[in-house]
Amino acid sequence: MHGYSDQQLEILGDAILAYSADRLKLDPVPLDGPRTLAELDAAAGMTITPDGIGGLAALKLFEEDLAPACISTDHPRYLSFIPCAPTEASAMFDLVVGASSIYGGSWLEGAGAVYAENQALRWIADLVGLPEQAGGVFVPGGTIGNLSALVAARHTARMEATQQGRRGPGARPWRVAATHGAHSSIQSACDVMDAEFVGVEVDDMGRLTGPALRDVLLEHGPETFFAVVATSGTTNFGIVDDLESVAAVCQEFGIWFHVDGAYGGAGLAAPSVRHLYAGIEHADSFIVDPHKWLFAPFDCCALLYREPALARAAHTQHASYLDVLTEAPDWNPTDYSVGLTRRARGLPFWFSLATHGTKAYTEAVERTLAVTRFAAEEIGRRDYVEVVREPDLSVVVFRRIGWSPADYQQWSDKLLEDEFAFVVPTSHDGETLTRFAIVNPKTSEDDITAILDTMA
């Protein structure tokens, strides 16, 4: 079972490489779509058996029945949620990472991989404006990234409270401040940590601002907060908070300033929108998902700390069998996030960066922004649709005038049924709307007009 010398395994290896190569060459890829459980039961049946069905048969079943039941997130008309549009280079190198059997959790076991990942992290840190000592780790996604950052923030705040001899509510701060427009993972992290989420009202542009934050901190007691979370690109609207004023308030009260850029942080690579991020350089921690708008495959979130030693103090796991790692001065990625076992998930992103260069990334992000601006303008030229809010980044939320929630759902279902596009409804202030999330450089102006035409 573990020997590649077997002739059948060699044939299977060739077949898998051929399938992967053919999938990467598809342009465009098929959109495909979900099937019901009954349909999959009828098509695939029981696939796990005592004697196995054979590799070629399993691959054929995946190719013909299972893969077509999955929506292709890299399709240029997949504009829902936040798509994933990996470069061919990053997708190909994901095969290499899997074949290489690298443990990416420690320098001892994966020095070469960690070295490469850290260079990719450094590029992001430079975009943010973090100091030379900044560093971090690639984690599975924004949920783990945000949770890990908040764990480090709470540990740091409580250590400082102990050192200062605080008494009362400030001895063990337990609150996190953010807007209700922040990603759902912030509330989830608070639930996991048994922390209290305190919502801050947004301004008329939908942003978290320093003055509103200051009022909330003073109302509840700033000493009870261990972190403030700002967002650089909300998921639903792509809104960038007023990071400059929020950072100033965090500095005033000595509270950890975390910036969730899971989706929108990639905009830092684009000069046309870089001004929106003023103040982000003051962040104590920051995340961005390269599998969103930086063209890496799932799953890949970059988590960075201004002072990595603070994260290491919070996250390093101690056990006798780990002494050889924890007592060494090396950079061990697992010291900076929740979790110990770790694949070198940053390597496909590193490979693509190394292959194409950072200028290509800037051009690709700018291309998606140009298509977004076109989409907003095109909506403005049509009398049956209207933009709800002018886009900050690459998300356009709009309404079809006169439509009910059922109309939106019927339209969305028909697009997917026809394998024409994947655009789902969303909501805001109780109103059903829809949105384009444009992070694929292959999404064109023609794609946008074709989809809008279906709403006429």
Side-chain angles (χ1 to χ4, degrees), residues 367-388:
R367 170 60 183 155
T368 61
L369 289 167
V371 173
T372 303
R373 288 188 284 269
F374 169 84
E377 293 165 0
E378 183 64 20
I379 291 168
R381 286 188 283 266
R382 299 174 183 235
D383 60 7
Y384 54 89
V385 285
E386 62 183 9
V387 171
V388 176

Side-chain angles (χ1 to χ4, degrees), residues 144-410:
I144 297 299
N146 284 328
L147 174 62
S148 299
L150 291 176
V151 166
R154 184 175 65 176
H155 182 273
T156 300
R158 291 183 173 179
M159 289 293 292
E160 290 175 350
T162 299
Q163 293 167 1
Q164 295 168 7
R166 290 188 213 162
R167 299 289 185 268
R172 289 179 65 79
W174 73 95
R175 288 183 168 127
V176 174
T179 72
H180 290 291
H183 193 267
S184 57
S185 63
I186 304 302
Q187 178 66 66
S188 177
C190 289
D191 293 342
V192 168
M193 300 171 69
D194 195 22
E196 180 182 344
F197 178 98
V198 179
V200 184
E201 292 300 317
V202 297
D203 67 3
D204 57 3
M205 297 176 64
R207 305 177 304 166
L208 172 64
T209 65
L213 172 64
R214 196 173 194 278
D215 289 344
V216 167
L217 295 180
L218 291 174
E219 177 186 353
H220 292 83
E223 73 282 358
T224 66
F225 289 82
F226 63 82
V228 169
V229 179
T231 307
S232 60
T234 58
T235 303
N236 205 24
F237 276 84
I239 296 170
V240 180
D241 287 335
D242 182 6
L243 304 177
E244 191 89 73
S245 67
V246 172
V249 172
C250 290
Q251 290 177 336
E252 176 185 353
F253 292 107
I255 300 174
W256 186 286
F257 176 38
H258 174 63
V259 178
D260 176 0
Y263 147 62
L268 288 162
S272 68
V273 294
R274 181 61 179 82
H275 62 282
L276 297 175
Y277 300 85
I280 198 170
E281 66 275 9
H282 302 298
D284 293 295
S285 55
F286 168 79
I287 68 160
V288 62
D289 289 352
H291 66 232
K292 288 187 168 75
W293 201 10
L294 285 175
F295 322 122
F298 296 118
D299 52 359
C300 182
C301 168
L303 165 62
L304 286 163
Y305 299 97
R306 173 177 294 277
E307 297 287 349
L310 300 177
R312 185 172 185 177
H315 287 293
T316 298
Q317 296 187 29
H318 297 277
S320 57
Y321 65 89
L322 296 175
D323 287 347
V324 67
L325 302 179
T326 56
E327 294 176 2
D330 301 322
W331 187 277
N332 298 317
T334 54
D335 288 339
Y336 303 99
S337 69
V338 173
L340 189 62
T341 301
R342 176 181 182 274
R343 73 187 296 266
R345 59 175 46 83
L347 283 183
F349 176 53
W350 161 81
F351 183 78
S352 186
L353 275 172
T355 298
H356 298 295
T358 60
K359 289 182 180 179
Y361 273 73
T362 291
E363 292 169 359
V365 174
E366 289 285 19
R367 170 60 183 155
T368 61
L369 289 167
V371 173
T372 303
R373 288 188 284 269
F374 169 84
E377 293 165 0
E378 183 64 20
I379 291 168
R381 286 188 283 266
R382 299 174 183 235
D383 60 7
Y384 54 89
V385 285
E386 62 183 9
V387 171
V388 176
R389 182 189 188 278
E390 289 299 319
D392 279 0
L393 301 175
S394 68
V395 173
V396 185
V397 180
F398 61 102
R399 65 173 56 88
R400 170 54 165 89
I401 299 170
W403 272 12
S404 67
D407 291 327
Y408 281 102
Q409 192 61 60
Q410 184 179 11

